[in-house]
Amino acid sequence: MMTQNKFLIPILALGVFGILNTEMGVVGIIPIIAERFQVSVPDAAWMVSLFALVVAFSAPITPLLFSKINRKTAMVLALSVFVLSNLVSIFVESYAVQLIARAVPAFFHPVYVTIAFTVAAMSVVKEEAPKAVSKVFVGVSAGMVLGVPMTSFIADSLSFQAAMIFFASVNIIVLFATLKFVPSLPVAQNLTYGDQFNVLKKPILWISILSAILMNAVMFGFYSYLSDYLQSVTQVSFKIISILLFVYGMTNILGNILAGKMLAKTPQTTLKIIPLILTALYVALFISGESLIVVAIILFALGMIVGIANNGNQYLVSSAAPEAPEFANGLFLTAANLGTTLGTFICGLFIAGWDNQASVLGAIMFALLGFVGIWIRNRVYQGMLVKV
């Protein structure tokens, strides 16, 4: 446990918000990007896809490379790269250069986020670590579910450049706050790369990674098509959809706060019941998807449970390899991105094979598979505790 610093967790949460906002904020302005750079909408979507792919493949590697460097130094470097790339994005006219400006910071996304999780956990006693990490996850949720409408509003009201200034401003604030208020964070336990790679020999780690992939597919496979579901099945206007998405995002943040307390007290039980609750909610959504009132209630609950599940996924992987925290958190980020890609693809196949309502069936399938994975993982984990 490191020395208490009242500014540390808020700065880490804001920093993660800035990183995730840079990644996900452009989701809502793809048509504006296409018009700005005179490219097709599918080509403009590479602003999202390229970033996600770089994160997925670099997440286990870049945190490992920076694992021996002072954590404050690594965070300052990552934030500086994000600031520079945001500034470049304001002025460039070439779409190819714009994509390069997106790809470069994506390599540093896992560096900052994994360190943020690790430092938050180390800032408190071991039993309180899930609570500290859950506070950082508030920044993750805010970046993913609130950053999109905020960026859309700025870009639509002002310009694409204004949205990039917004990204840069948040990251600049965090950079200066980190330099001023975050103390030096030297790596006390200097593990070799070989020591960290050795955690890959642990069966529980692979079971945890697979479970995290399945659970992320549950959450974001359907979320990718939520707006379309509300429009075609529930048949509501875009104004109502925006309100429902905002409610979903706010309850998602609340779920992050609850997750810290639940994972600190009853982690194994929490991990096991979440996919069952998600299954029940998705079944209810499939049955009652045409009723706006019922759908609104379900989305209120769903946002909260997904917030808890997101924290649970990080706990699944990080607790399976506590001796290599940055590397484990990098593996979690890879699992999260692969799960999102898998869930979106499979739920899309369900829609193509049947109709828009069928995306819920894909989520139900992943939830049941996720329950099986977590049940096996918990049995293995309990067996390890007995041996100890």
Side-chain angles (χ1 to χ4, degrees):
M1 176 181 168
M2 59 184 66
T3 304
Q4 288 287 341
N5 182 333
K6 64 180 180 179
F7 297 112
L8 182 60
I9 298 296
I11 290 172
L12 293 175
L14 183 61
V16 169
F17 169 76
I19 300 293
L20 268 293
N21 188 40
T22 299
E23 176 183 5
M24 300 299 296
V26 297
V27 168
I29 61 171
I30 295 300
I32 295 175
I33 293 171
E35 182 179 354
R36 154 82 174 150
F37 293 99
Q38 294 299 297
V39 296
S40 66
V41 169
D43 285 342
W46 274 104
M47 287 280 282
V48 179
S49 302
L50 180 63
F51 198 108
L53 285 171
V54 172
V55 172
F57 286 104
S58 65
I61 301 169
T62 50
L64 188 67
L65 295 176
F66 282 84
S67 62
K68 298 182 180 182
I69 298 175
N70 185 295
R71 291 181 173 112
K72 178 179 179 177
T73 302
M75 287 194 293
V76 167
L77 175 61
L79 290 167
S80 300
V81 171
F82 267 81
V83 169
L84 288 172
S85 70
N86 293 152
L87 293 175
V88 168
S89 294
I90 296 170
F91 300 105
V92 298
E93 299 293 331
S94 166
Y95 188 57
V97 176
Q98 184 66 246
L99 287 177
I100 294 172
R102 288 283 292 175
V104 172
F107 284 101
F108 290 85
H109 170 294
V111 175
Y112 187 90
V113 176
T114 58
I115 290 176
F117 289 150
T118 301
V119 170
M122 293 174 60
S123 67
V124 295
V125 296
K126 182 179 179 181
E127 292 74 18
E128 297 294 312
K131 292 183 182 179
V133 173
S134 72
K135 293 176 182 177
V136 175
F137 255 106
V138 170
V140 175
S141 293
M144 296 183 73
V145 298
L146 298 182
V148 173
M150 290 171 68
T151 304
S152 298
F153 176 78
I154 293 171
D156 185 54
S157 302
L158 300 173
S159 65
F160 169 81
Q161 289 92 332
M164 297 302 104
I165 292 172
F166 170 54
F167 293 166
S169 299
V170 175
N171 288 315
I172 287 171
I173 291 170
V174 179
L175 175 59
F176 280 106
T178 302
L179 287 168
K180 182 172 179 59
F181 297 110
V182 175
S184 177
L185 299 168
V187 179
Q189 189 180 10
N190 197 355
L191 296 174
T192 67
Y193 295 137
D195 290 335
Q196 296 182 74
F197 274 121
N198 278 337
V199 301
L200 295 174
K201 297 177 181 178
K202 301 172 68 172
I204 190 172
L205 178 60
W206 289 103
I207 298 171
S208 299
I209 291 171
L210 178 59
S211 299
I213 289 173
L214 292 170
M215 289 302 296
N216 231 70
V218 177
M219 298 183 290
F220 294 103
F222 173 71
Y223 182 72
S224 300
Y225 302 102
L226 178 54
S227 295
D228 183 61
Y229 182 92
L230 293 171
Q231 182 185 15
S232 59
V233 179
T234 314
Q235 296 186 351
V236 294
S237 67
F238 280 106
K239 182 178 291 186
I240 298 297
I241 290 174
S242 298
I243 294 172
L244 291 174
L245 290 176
F246 179 77
V247 170
Y248 180 96
M250 294 306 296
T251 59
N252 191 274
I253 292 173
L254 177 60
N256 281 303
I257 298 171
L258 292 174
K261 299 177 181 179
M262 296 171 68
L263 290 169
K265 291 182 178 179
T266 55
Q268 308 310 316
T269 302
T270 299
L271 292 173
K272 190 166 57 177
I273 64 172
I274 289 302
L276 296 179
I277 297 175
L278 286 172
T279 300
L281 289 172
Y282 283 127
V283 168
L285 191 62
F286 183 78
I287 295 172
S288 307
E290 296 178 359
S291 170
L292 174 58
I293 294 176
V294 176
V295 168
I297 294 171
I298 292 171
L299 289 181
F300 183 93
L302 189 61
M304 189 181 306
I305 300 302
V306 165
I308 298 172
N310 209 12
N311 280 258
N313 285 347
Q314 188 273 340
Y315 181 91
L316 272 171
V317 181
S318 64
S319 62
E323 63 270 39
E326 277 91 0
F327 186 43
N329 281 318
L331 293 172
F332 156 68
L333 290 177
T334 294
N337 280 274
L338 290 177
T340 299
T341 303
L342 176 65
T344 302
F345 175 70
I346 296 298
C347 287
L349 290 181
F350 272 80
I351 292 173
W354 288 280
D355 54 25
N356 300 76
Q357 192 175 11
S359 60
V360 181
L361 298 177
I364 293 171
M365 178 191 73
F366 281 120
L368 294 173
L369 290 173
F371 171 77
V372 173
I374 290 172
W375 182 82
I376 294 172
R377 190 261 185 200
N378 283 356
R379 292 293 296 268
V380 174
Y381 187 78
Q382 290 298 328
M384 290 171 57
L385 293 179
V386 171
K387 289 180 180 180
V388 173

